Each structure stands twice: as structure tokens, then as C-alpha cells.
Amino acid sequence: MQLEATELNMLRPLLRNVAKQSVATAARPVASRGFATSASAPAPTPAFNWEDPLNARNLLTEEEISISETAEAYCQERILPRVLQAYRDENYDRQILEEMGELGLLGATIQGYDCAGVSSVASGLITKAVERVDSGYRSAMSVQSALVMGGIEEFGTQEQKDKFLPKMAKGKLLGAFGLTEPNHGSDPGSMEAIAKPHPTKKGYLSLSGSKTWITNSPIADVLLVWAKYQETGKIRGFLVERSECPPGTLETPAIKDKNGLRASLTGMIHLDECPIPEANMFPDVEGLTGPFTCLNGARYGIAWGVMGALEDCIARSRTYALERKQFKGNPIAKYQLVQKKLADATTDATYGTLAALQVGRLKDQGKATPEMISMIKRQNCDRALSNARTLQEVFGGNAVSDEYGIGRHVANLFVTQTYEGQSDIHSLILGRAITGLQAFV
Amino acid sequence: MQLEATELNMLRPLLRNVAKQSVATAARPVASRGFATSASAPAPTPAFNWEDPLNARNLLTEEEISISETAEAYCQERILPRVLQAYRDENYDRQILEEMGELGLLGATIQGYDCAGVSSVASGLITKAVERVDSGYRSAMSVQSALVMGGIEEFGTQEQKDKFLPKMAKGKLLGAFGLTEPNHGSDPGSMEAIAKPHPTKKGYLSLSGSKTWITNSPIADVLLVWAKYQETGKIRGFLVERSECPPGTLETPAIKDKNGLRASLTGMIHLDECPIPEANMFPDVEGLTGPFTCLNGARYGIAWGVMGALEDCIARSRTYALERKQFKGNPIAKYQLVQKKLADATTDATYGTLAALQVGRLKDQGKATPEMISMIKRQNCDRALSNARTLQEVFGGNAVSDEYGIGRHVANLFVTQTYEGQSDIHSLILGRAITGLQAFV
Amino acid sequence: MQLEATELNMLRPLLRNVAKQSVATAARPVASRGFATSASAPAPTPAFNWEDPLNARNLLTEEEISISETAEAYCQERILPRVLQAYRDENYDRQILEEMGELGLLGATIQGYDCAGVSSVASGLITKAVERVDSGYRSAMSVQSALVMGGIEEFGTQEQKDKFLPKMAKGKLLGAFGLTEPNHGSDPGSMEAIAKPHPTKKGYLSLSGSKTWITNSPIADVLLVWAKYQETGKIRGFLVERSECPPGTLETPAIKDKNGLRASLTGMIHLDECPIPEANMFPDVEGLTGPFTCLNGARYGIAWGVMGALEDCIARSRTYALERKQFKGNPIAKYQLVQKKLADATTDATYGTLAALQVGRLKDQGKATPEMISMIKRQNCDRALSNARTLQEVFGGNAVSDEYGIGRHVANLFVTQTYEGQSDIHSLILGRAITGLQAFV
Amino acid sequence: MQLEATELNMLRPLLRNVAKQSVATAARPVASRGFATSASAPAPTPAFNWEDPLNARNLLTEEEISISETAEAYCQERILPRVLQAYRDENYDRQILEEMGELGLLGATIQGYDCAGVSSVASGLITKAVERVDSGYRSAMSVQSALVMGGIEEFGTQEQKDKFLPKMAKGKLLGAFGLTEPNHGSDPGSMEAIAKPHPTKKGYLSLSGSKTWITNSPIADVLLVWAKYQETGKIRGFLVERSECPPGTLETPAIKDKNGLRASLTGMIHLDECPIPEANMFPDVEGLTGPFTCLNGARYGIAWGVMGALEDCIARSRTYALERKQFKGNPIAKYQLVQKKLADATTDATYGTLAALQVGRLKDQGKATPEMISMIKRQNCDRALSNARTLQEVFGGNAVSDEYGIGRHVANLFVTQTYEGQSDIHSLILGRAITGLQAFV
């Protein structure tokens, strides 16, 4: 299924327009008026909104609210209807990324290059809207936006930026990010992929190695692959263009029969003496700084995204609990054990959103640290997963049917907890930051 | 032990001064400059601070930072040294309230009446500073500030305000709040205390009934007692002045041998046909609106306060873990199981602080709802308690010694979880708000 | 894939032989010798066995050990190789039930009718062996053995027993159990299925109604359906033989795209004025006693079975942790956070096994109560699920591959927690037994 | 308060009598009759008993039941009335140990030396009865029975046994066990206490060092102290008799103001060149084998004891929940959230009891391993503590009063989790046993 051009047009203008506005007017928090203690005329009686219990919206700018609404509308109307079948079939429709590109959702924080240039909070809201539908769709987008476009923008040459970013922003070129190797998950520093001088092609390197669990890899056009640069023994980043690879030097087999994230594609990357122009190497960044910077961006997005998935679980289980009647015709929403599950989940959803929002603000002020991102990535994934599992109990035996959607979120959220830093690894990153002592080994 | 006048003078000016400033200049968030996406010149490299991992300080105004620092300095220097012995002896030094009054910490959000008139966030920061030392000291202050002064300010006549608030602000008059009865804890609407027309004294009511678990009651000068007004059958508030009660009409026996909050006084209130001038009744408020409004204020403070207690537990266990060496001379802070406890606790402390701060901002904008306060009271108490208990394990067998302080916090935090709405009750309040169905019975 | 006759013959003799033995010799616990305090000559030094940490085997008779070994051998050698593909395809090979029948694993506690007549503990060990491979295979067997054969043996007429039990014992007739209706899950007393006098066929009833989430229904030959008997308004049991149902009166559509238990078949049962001979109605049992007695038997089996699934998760994650190396070549099994997960899981597995074993002994002594079975069903499902999820974390990103098997167990175990009494329902059954007060409504 | 001689006489005969019986008749499980599948005539309908939900009693011999009843009667009638005040005052009445001695409760598994010679399960039942009242009383008894008498019986010379055991069995001599040092808790192998040849006294050693957190130390008559034997550098055990120590060579100051276990005495042991006859050294055992063997015995007892404390918490909170009425006069026992707490706790209590019982049987068969004891010590302490804390919530604000007893159990149980191997240490012991890899450093 594909969006009609006219439908997209209805959604499209908004994001790019507001983005432009935001350059013009210094973004002012909608709520800033009221930060002083003397609120002039409080609204009649504020009402509690279970979908935003602590009124995080109050912290958003008007621009951010607009962006969020556009993204939510697109996701609910356009991609939600596709996900059930896609998940069953382990199928990803790359059209989705083009649609996102049309709306300006890709690489949205980047200034220029046809990107929207919105705030980090706005990009978090986009991420949340997508993951409210499915973590797999969000993963595909995160790889494109945070890992690959973010990496190019941060570390690429001007030529690399000019060449790749505008097409990626439109979803015309699809990216993948190759860091993890089969034997090196939590410890990428031990990677074995290597870039040697090419034996025959002048100005080229020869790239060899295997990467695994690579989102988008089977269909990606541009693969940002990290490998040890033989000359220095240090890790460097390489932009591998599929269309330029001679046959047999690049294979990207899909990994099938996954337990989760089945609506996104995952695969391996096998490079066998693949010739890469030196111009496709990132110019300066060496060691793990490069990939970790990219991962930070992606992790930041995950921390937002999983809150969307959790909110969807809350909405679905709340609806079910109100409609499902047991024991003398009472809706099960009336039972204490059910209400507690809902209360716990909404609390964690709103706390997690506030924390992600805070880190987003700090990011834009240059005050965010990687440990902050470890904290919100770990906590939000853990709490989203834990609450989603508990909410799944509300469905009783019916939870086994995939049509209720919550089982899909549960399966997806488990994966989000394990990738881009399994929670235990982030615990130890935090532990090191707190104590000054490393406990990895 | 009592503060020397000169010492107090060193601390004192700050709070009232900043408060005055805050009237003059519209309070502007320190961080507001940076809310836009184009942060002009980011600081070199931001550092992770385990004491404020998500940089909540960035959301404070300069005034709020000043107030927080004053309160923290007072609490650490003046009341921390007294708490160990006070807790052992179940003793509360009412001098402390006078000192707090001197510094302007009491009823701090109230405008006028010699109160500081600070923001709700500032008052939260004061609360946190006090509870970092001990939840009992915070309880005594909460009763004075939120429950009694807050009640008078919200519901009292002008005469009542003029008569009581200034002296209470200085800590010269000590307040207590009588709502809970021996047989009516979570369900105060069933209270039995009653105010009848006084049989002999013209213009007086005759107040009878018993209240229990009343903080400060044994030494309180002004007791705000809620009772059913016989004429209407509705709950009304009465200001009972101990000095005016004829012998035998008011008894306030202490409850001793408590499991927690031993540094604050707890007692009962027995009223036996106690004559109360009609002028001491709150003029308009009827039903549970009155006490629940007061409780909301107190619960808001608890949500802040317990984060202070938790932060103290983190600091104490971190220090212990760094100093304690086991197995080949390694500090136990190097062990994964210890680091995870610290990572979990710091995460919950900072998430809880951000949530309380958000509600504080909403309060001042007239956008806070009671359910929001139920949410942060419940969650912050639960997480503070749970993490404090886990951190206590770091101390191994040494935890049994009261000199490490953490056992005291654990015992206190359990009480905070049970009073002013036990967590299960707040779960059901939230459940009702989420589902529209009540599950209390 | 099907067992060769010769292969089955190698496994087959054991179970029926030992079963016969057990009639001859009063079953004596292997360990009974040592129950006295004066153990004559203790073995050299006992070793800790992580697969049976508290030596539950010591409580088994020699017969039970033999049966367990036979069942484990069959399951590991014959059904384990089929499960991965079956789960992917949502396919159940009914050949499996025939093989189980050949080995005497079906209806194993029943005396006579070609059943093995073993102890309840032995039947628990069989269940555990099957669920060590997959909860779906165990479900298919539980329905056959506990729900249908158990129901017929307990409540059927002699003719019903003679007609159905021997063929079911051999796996020649496949059973299904129809209790749950689309709108009545936890509260079957409100069922709508009804049996009226048949309008035309003498000696027949006319059965109408819908049942859902019925294991085996799409391929079952005999469906034990519970429905209200119009004459009395009370629930009665009916044996519906598919081969006898006129076209259009019985439909059993499969439910596909399940989140778990995909290696077993699940479906609905639609009965539309289906004629049932009166001789196929259970003679005496009325109300919920009938189905609840059957469910008790099945729940008892689940309590054993899930411990098998958990043990498999432990074994798989232990192996993975020993083989997976990260950070300086250390196997991740060396990390504290990993060891804790394994320690927790083995503890719960062995505690749960001891509890199930105890209830098994009590069952055979006529001392078991339904609440006991609620307790072990709830606790063992909950703990199996919770630990399986935690162990899944050990696999990091690799957990998403279905080849590690643990994701399948996690998905299955969630379903075991929700069927035959969701855990919350069992909590309330226990709560009622403890307090004497019911809290369902 | 002291037992009257006549009262003790009423209780006393039982234990020693049954013990004698048990030598005559080979102890046969009461339940062994029914282990076969063909239970002859099952009792009418078995009833669920919330105090023993899985009928662990069914596994006991008649002797064990008698012993348990004697111990329970003594504890409930004689020591329960003293504990509230003792806990408040941090006071231990050494008379209690004499009473226990009179009843044969001390060193009860030891054969001869005036000890009862009962099974390990019987001794577990005694322990449970005592800890049902208070963990402090159980601690005092554990030190006497398991650590000191157990150590002497296992490792002492015949002379040491003859000299100490009979008087200790009667409670006439009180023991203490000195292993832990101020800087060496979880890692006793690094101890600093040392035994050198005595410079002046022939046949004497000179013992120096400090021990801390020593139960009973302030009033103990015989202190089993572990120290490095200078001659070999290996750890050896020394029996220090207070009455023989010259002034200034032995100090045992009490540690006051404890957070828990306040009904037992805790102190330090300071030895300053204390002369010890060589005959008071254990003859053969070297290294940590000695103390760890003693600790195993004590830990086994703790695993039983904490189940008694938990059962008392269940009984107290159940009673409270049935009597406490809130919201329209409903007892709070009727609320789902309360029932769940009770269901969880009773489940863990009975699971833990079954596991401890299993290890007891294995102990007497020579089949128990230290890891088994680590498992039940860890799990039972953890679950007892966790459930006790949750049950404490049932009391709402009233929990702060010490008269409900549950706060005392909570505080005590935390200490049981940290002593004799903090739970994390036992996790790593188990982890090592499961994986073959140690993760302590």
C-alpha cells in the first residue's frame, strides 16, 4: 500500500513550514509565560489527561506540537494499517521511508541539506509517533536518521554531506549502519573488519569483514561500515555504496524468523575485499568515538520511541479493560488488580517522557552527556518492556492473538532493551560514571 | 542544641532577599536562554554529575538555586548533627521550627503575612533539603507549612490569616492537622468527630472526637481539626488553640516506640466537648474539599522530600562502597551487583525530581490536578523506599548500625509511603482517573 | 517426520513395564531408606548439580526415575528436532500424539483402559519432559490426558470409558475441551452454550454455542463440550464426536497468527443445533464441578510442565554464557550480573519442582485441594515466565534469533500464565481461601 | 520474667522423651503410608489450610510434629510476651537460653552430651518456632547451637566436647562465635586475628585481634574465635573461656542502637594477648573449612527460621485485614490488592518451608552440599524480607506502631539477609557452582 500523492500533500506542508518558522522566530516554549509564580489567570479547572498525565505537552513549543501532530497523524493513518501483516510476513515496505522523507521526518534535526532542522525534542516526538505504531518502523527510521545521516553530518566531508544527505532526507537512498560483528556485541572495540590498501585500484581501500544484526542491511543503498584501518590499527568509518560494489564483494543476506522487530529488515553485511574509494572514508574521526557518537543519537531516539510503544500498550489495554466484562457484567477495568497495572504504566510512561524531553533540551544546549543518554535509554526501555508485559496480562487468554497488538509491542520492546547497549551494559556505564570504577571485567 | 543568633544571621538574609527580588523581577528560568535549538556557544564538554544526573538544576531559576543552597546549608550544618540522637530518643526539638521560621522556610509559597512567597519549585527544593536529613523533620515542617498554614491561607477568614500566619511563619506558633481517626484512615469521609452548638457558651461550638497519627500534636499550639458540623452534617475545619482550651477538653498524648519518623513527634488528639469560638471555624469550605486541598499541598511536598532522602542514601552508600574493601583489596564499588544498585537508584532519583519539578511548574500555572500529585507522591515514595532498601544491602552486616544513617531513611521512607494516602490508595485514585471507574469498594 | 516403528520399540517397553511393576510392588520412595536421622554410611562427598540443585530426584521412586528418563529421551530425541519449524509454521503434527500413545504417556495416571496407571508425580515428570521441549506440545498432551481423558474417567459412564479411553490412550482419537467462550473467560459460569432436547431426533440433544481458544479443536475427534442443560439450567458435559456430526453442525476453525504456543493448534468450536446422543452426556456431574475438576488436573500438569521449560531456558542460557566471550575474552558467564540471573532461575526452578512434587504426593493420598493446585499453577507459571525473560537478556541482541529457542519459551510461558486461570484469578482464589472473603467482584 | 519450674515441667518432658523414642523406633515418616498411588481410604474432603498451604506437615514424622508443637507452645507462651519490651530496650534475657536448654532445644541434633539427638528437620522446626517470635531470639539460639556447639561437636577434641557440650546444652554456658572482623566481612580469609606462642606461659598461646557483629558476645561464657595460627599461617579455632581470661585481655563491648535484631545482644570481641591453653585449640581443622562448616549449620537454621517470621507476618496482617474496616464497612481483607499480598506471601512461605525440609532430609542422609544451603538461606531470607515488607503495607499508617509486631520482623529480616553471607555473596556462590567460574573479583 502506498500513500496517494494527494494524501501526502495534505500532511506534508506542515513539518517543513513549521521548521522554517522556527528559524525565523526564536523558539519560545509555549509554557514559558507561566513559569513565574504569579500565573495571571489560571484556566478554570485543569483536567487530568491519562494520555499525558503530567502534561508534558506544556513544555513543548508550538512548533513542536505541530510537528508531533503531523507525525502522529501520518503514523496512525498511514503506517498503522500496514503493520499487522508486515509483522506476520517479516516484510518491510521501503516505500515507508520515502513517505517519511516526503514529510521531512528523516534526519529532522539536521540543518540544511533539505532537512527540517527541528529541535531534538521535536525529533523525539517524531520517533515516539513512529514507535507508537511499531518499534521496527522506528528502528528503520533511526538507522536512517540518527546512525547514518547523523554520522555523515557529524563526521563526513562536505562532499559526503552534499552527496548523501539530501537524497537520504528524501528517503531516496536507504542507509544501514554496520558496527556489531558476530563475535563482538557489547564490545565493539574488538572488531575484526579491516580496511587495507586496495592491491590494484589506486585511491581505493579494500574492505573485508562481517557485520550482523544490521537493520535495513538487505535493502540499504548506503552502508556506513566501521572497520579497523590497517595503516593505523584504528577504527574508521566507511560509506559503502551498494551500486558501486563489484559483484561478490558485498552480500547482505536477511536474517529471518526473528522473535521481534519483524516489521523491519535485519541482516548481515559480508564484505569481501570490497573496493571503497578513499573519499568515502570519514576524514578525521578515529576509534570508537565515531560509532559511539552515532549510537548516542540513536539511543536518544530509542528513549523517546519506546515511550510511544508503551503509551500504545496503555491505550490498547485500557480500551480492552473497559470493553471486556467478566463477573456480573463488570468491565474488568473496575478491578483493583487491573487498575494498578494501568496506574503503574501511565506513571512510567510520563516519567520517561519527561526525562527524555529534559535530555533533548540539554542536547540542544550542548549540555547532554553520553551517560545521560545511557540512563534514559536503559530506563525507558526497561520500564516500557516491563509495563507492556504486565499490561499484556489484562488481555488474559486473548493476548495470544496478534490482533490485539500488544504482543507485538512486547516482543519488539524486548529487542529494544538488548540492542544499542543491552541494559546491563548501560548499568555498568552508569556505575562507572557514578563510582569512577569500571566493572566490565 | 540551638543555633547561635549570629550563625542564623549568616544564613538568614538570603531567602527573604531573593524572595523580595522575585517579586521585582519576573522570575525567568536560568536555562530559558538555551531553550532554542540554536544554542550559541555550548560549554566545552559537559560532565555527568551523579548527584544530578539529568541536570535538573538547569531548569531552576537563579532565585530557586539560591533558596536551595540556603536550605541545604542550614540543613546539613544545623539539623543533620542533631538527628541521630533525636531519632534514638524519639525526641523533637521545637527550636528547629523556629530556626526554619527565622530563615523563611515555613509557608514559603504564601504571599504576604511575613512569608517568603517563593515558587512551588522553590518550596519543593526546601522540602528536599530538609528530608535529605530526615523525613521526620520534613514531616514536622510539612504539617506546619502545607497542612496548617496552607489551609488557613486557602480557606481561612482574613482575621484567621492575620492572627495565625505571621506567627506560624516565624515558627512561634506550632501547628498540627487533625484529620485521621483511629477507625478511619484511608476513608476520612466516615469520620466521627463532631462540632455541636456549645450548650452554654454563646458564639462557641463544642468539639468532640479523637484523631490519631497526628504529627506535632503533643506540642502543637494551633490544631486544625476537621469534624462534622452537626448543623449540616458536613465536614468543616476548626482552629483549636491549645492555650484557650479549658482543662480536660483537649488531650494530645504522644505515641511512642514508633518504627520510623522517630525524629518527629506523633500523637493523638482527644477533644471532649472543647469550646471553640465560631470565629475559629473556616468560613466556607465544606466536605472533604478542605482537608484534601491541604493534603494535596503536603503530598506535593512529600514527592519532593523523599527524593532528598533517596539522594542521601545514594551518597552514603556510594561513599561506603568506595571505602569498603573486600576480596583482594577491591572497593566493593567495583562490583557489578553494587554498581547496578547505584545506577538504578540514581535513575529513579533524577526521574522523580524531574516529575516533581514539572508538577511544581504546573501548580504555579494553575494547571496541576490532584491526580498528578497522587502520581508523584505514590511513585516517588515507592521508588525512594525501594531503592533505599536495595542500597542498604551495600552496607552488608554494617547496615544494622544506626550510625550509617541509611536504616533510618529506610524506616522513615516506609512511613512516607503509608501516610497521606498509602500507595495502593493512590493507585486506585489513578486507576479511577484513567478508567473512569472507581475500584475502592 | 515420524518415528520409525523400531525406534519407538526401543523406548516403548519401559513405561508400560514399570507401570505394571508398580502395581505389584507397593511403590516405595527410593529415598525412604534415608529418612531416618541415622544415615548409615553417607556417600563420599555429595556434589551440587545445577540441573537439580536440591536433589528432587532423591524423592522419586525407581519407577518414577525410569519413566522420567524414558519421557526425556523420547522428547529430546524425537520431538525437539521438529519444534523449531513447527513453531515457525504454526503447525502441529498429530503423529506426535500417536507416538506418545505408543509410549504410554497419555492419560498415564489412569488405571486400566490401556493406560499406564502411574503416580501423579510420574505423570508430572512426563509433562515436564514434554514442556522442556515446548509448551505447545505439552498443551496438546494436557488436553488429551488431563482434560478429556481425565474428565471421562472421573465423570463418564462405563460405556463412555470403554468406548473412548483405550483409543485416546493410544493417541488414535484426539481430544479437545470446550469450556471458554468468547465472552466468558475467567468466569465460565456465565456460559451461553446450551443443550436442548433435539426437536426431531429421539434420544438426542441439540447442542448450540461457541467456544474459543480451544487447544486441538481443529483436528480433534472427540470434543468434551460444556453447556447449560436447558432442562435444569445447570452446566453438563457432552462428548461430541466429530465423525457423527451432520455437516454444518460442527465447525472448528483454527486461530492463526498466535503470539505463542504456535506448535500446538488452537481454534474455536461452533456448534449449531448439533445432535448429540443422550448417551454422550456425562451422567451425574452438574455445574462447574465437572470442568473445574478437569482443569485441576490440567493445572497440576502445567505446574510441572513450566518447570521443564524453565530448566531448558537455564540450560540454554548457561551454555550461551559459557561460550559467548566479550571484553578481554572472558565468557560472559563470569560476570556477576549474568550469574545472578542464573542463580535466581535455578532457585525458582528447584523450588517449583519440589512444590509440584509435594502436591503430586498429596494428590495420590487424596489430600490435595484445588487451592493447592491454584498455588503451584500460579507460582510456577509466574516464576518460569519471569526467569525465562530475565535469562533471555543473557543472549543480548542474539535473543532475537529464534534458533536460540529461548524466545519461544518466553512467548509460550506467557500464554501458560494466562490460560487455565490467569494468575490474577488464582491470586483471588488463594486470597479467598486465606481470608474467607471473595474479591472477584 | 522467668518460667516457673512447674510450667517448664509441663513442657519439658516431651522433647527429650520423643527424642529417646526416636532412637528406639526407626523414624518413619507419618506420611510414608500414603506415598503409593493407591491411597486406601482418603479422608472425606481435604481442606486448604492457609497456615500450611501445601501440607508440609504431611512430610513430618510423629516425633517431629511433637517436637514442633512443644517448641511452638514454649515460644508463643513464654517468649512472645517478652519480646516487645526487650526489643525496645535492646535487652536480652539470658534466662531464655536456660529455658531452651531445659526443654532440650539447644544443640538438638547432637547425639549424646545431654542433647536431644533429633533430626535436622526437627531442629529446623525448633528454629522456626523461635523465629516466629523474633529473629533475635533465634540468632542467640543459632549461635549457641549451630555455630558453637556444632563447631565443638564437629571439630573439637573429646575433652572439649565433654567439657563444654553438656553445659551448653543446658544453657548454663553461653556461646559466641568470632569470625567477622571490622574490615573483613564477606571475605573472612583475610582476617587479621592471630595466635602466637605465648611469650611466658608454657602450653599457652597468645591470642590477639578484634571481631565485630558478634551475637551474644557481651555475655558469652565461651567464645569460639577463629584466628590465624602464626606457626602455619592457617586459620584455626580457639575456645576462649571468659572466666579464665586475665583482666584486660578480653573485652566484649556491646554494640547498641541497632536497626534490627534488638532483642539479641551484639558486640565486639577484643583480644589483647589473651592467653589460651593449647588444649582449647581445635585439633585438626585448618583454613576456612572450620568456620564455613559451622556457618553452614547456622545458615541451614536461618533458612527455616525466617519462614517462621514470615508466617507470623502473614498471620498478623491477615488478622489485621479482617478486623480493619474501610470504605462502607468492608474489611480490607476483601480488597484485591490486599489479597494478592497475602497470596504471594503464603506461597513463598510454603515453598521455602518445603525447600528447607528437603535440605534437612538430605543433610541427614549425607547428601546436602554447602551450595544447597546457600540457595535456601538466600532465597528464604530474600523472600521472607520482601513479603514481610509488602505485608507491612496492609497496616497502612498503623504500621508505624511497634505494637503490631510486623515492623520488628521487617527490621530483623533485613539483618538476616545480610549476615552469614549477604544475599549477593550467595548469588555468586551459586553462580560459581552453576557456571564453574568465580565472579567475586
Side-chain angles (χ1 to χ4, degrees), chain C residues 117-154:
Chain C
V118 302
S119 72
S120 289
V121 167
S123 91
L125 292 164
I126 294 169
T127 308
K128 192 177 175 184
V130 177
E131 195 151 356
R132 189 184 307 280
V133 175
D134 192 79
S135 303
Y137 289 153
R138 198 268 307 139
S139 292
M141 182 182 73
S142 287
V143 168
Q144 178 84 351
S145 292
L147 291 178
V148 185
M149 295 178 71
I152 293 171
E153 194 227 2
E154 182 82 20

Side-chain angles (χ1 to χ4, degrees), chain B residues 88 182-183 185-187 213 257-259 324 326-327 335 341 389 392 398-400 402 424 440-441, chain D residues 88 182-183 185-187 213 257-259 324 326-327 335 341 389 392 398-400 402 414 424 440-441:
Chain B
R88 286 178 182 169
N183 297 314
S186 300
D187 179 22
W213 300 123
D257 298 307
K258 287 184 294 178
N259 291 324
R324 178 77 175 174
Q326 292 286 292
F327 298 116
Y335 299 124
K341 296 182 216 284
R389 285 169 167 172
Q392 197 182 9
N398 285 335
V400 81
D402 71 348
D424 284 346
F440 293 94
V441 289
Chain D
R88 287 177 180 169
N183 296 315
S186 299
D187 180 22
W213 299 121
D257 298 306
K258 285 184 296 177
N259 291 325
R324 178 78 175 175
Q326 291 287 291
F327 299 117
Y335 299 124
K341 296 182 215 286
R389 284 168 166 171
Q392 198 181 7
N398 284 336
V400 82
D402 70 349
F414 173 71
D424 284 345
F440 293 94
V441 289

Side-chain angles (χ1 to χ4, degrees), chain D residues 22-187:
Chain D
S22 88
V23 178
T25 74
R28 219 174 352 150
V30 172
S32 68
R33 290 163 290 185
F35 262 39
T37 54
S38 54
S40 45
T45 308
F48 179 79
N49 174 11
W50 63 268
E51 295 180 281
D52 183 16
L54 297 183
N55 201 351
R57 182 186 166 107
N58 199 50
L59 295 172
L60 304 180
T61 63
E62 283 167 14
E63 175 191 319
E64 288 161 350
I65 291 172
S66 285
I67 291 168
S68 174
E69 288 172 354
T70 303
E72 292 285 356
Y74 165 69
C75 293
Q76 292 296 309
E77 293 166 23
R78 302 299 163 200
I79 65 176
L80 178 59
R82 312 183 212 181
V83 69
L84 179 62
Q85 200 57 46
Y87 191 90
R88 287 177 180 169
D89 301 343
E90 293 200 278
N91 182 44
Y92 179 72
D93 179 359
R94 74 170 283 165
Q95 183 65 28
I96 288 172
L97 223 60
E98 282 194 51
E99 293 167 15
M100 290 178 172
E102 284 300 300
L103 287 168
L105 304 178
L106 302 178
T109 55
I110 296 174
Q111 302 281 350
Y113 309 102
D114 242 0
C115 296
V118 301
S119 73
S120 288
V121 168
S123 91
L125 293 164
I126 294 169
T127 307
K128 192 176 175 185
V130 176
E131 193 150 358
R132 190 183 306 281
V133 175
D134 192 79
S135 304
Y137 288 154
R138 197 268 307 139
S139 292
M141 184 181 72
S142 288
V143 168
Q144 179 82 354
S145 293
L147 292 178
V148 185
M149 295 178 71
I152 293 171
E153 195 227 2
E154 183 82 20
F155 300 114
T157 61
Q158 190 60 49
E159 290 68 28
Q160 289 166 356
K161 294 181 195 183
D162 291 337
K163 178 174 180 185
F164 294 108
L165 289 181
K167 284 184 189 155
M168 295 192 79
K170 293 289 188 202
K172 299 298 184 195
L173 280 183
L174 190 62
F177 182 86
L179 175 65
T180 300
E181 300 191 352
N183 296 315
H184 307 284
S186 299
D187 180 22

Side-chain angles (χ1 to χ4, degrees), chain B residues 312-331:
Chain B
D312 194 49
C313 292
I314 293 168
R316 287 171 183 266
S317 48
R318 177 181 172 276
T319 299
Y320 183 85
L322 286 168
E323 291 174 355
R324 178 77 175 174
K325 295 185 175 59
Q326 292 286 292
F327 298 116
K328 303 197 183 166
N330 280 320

Side-chain angles (χ1 to χ4, degrees), chain D residues 301-322:
Chain D
I302 295 171
W304 272 98
V306 293
M307 293 295 98
L310 175 54
E311 287 180 4
D312 194 50
C313 292
I314 293 168
R316 286 171 184 267
S317 49
R318 178 182 172 274
T319 299
Y320 183 85
L322 285 168

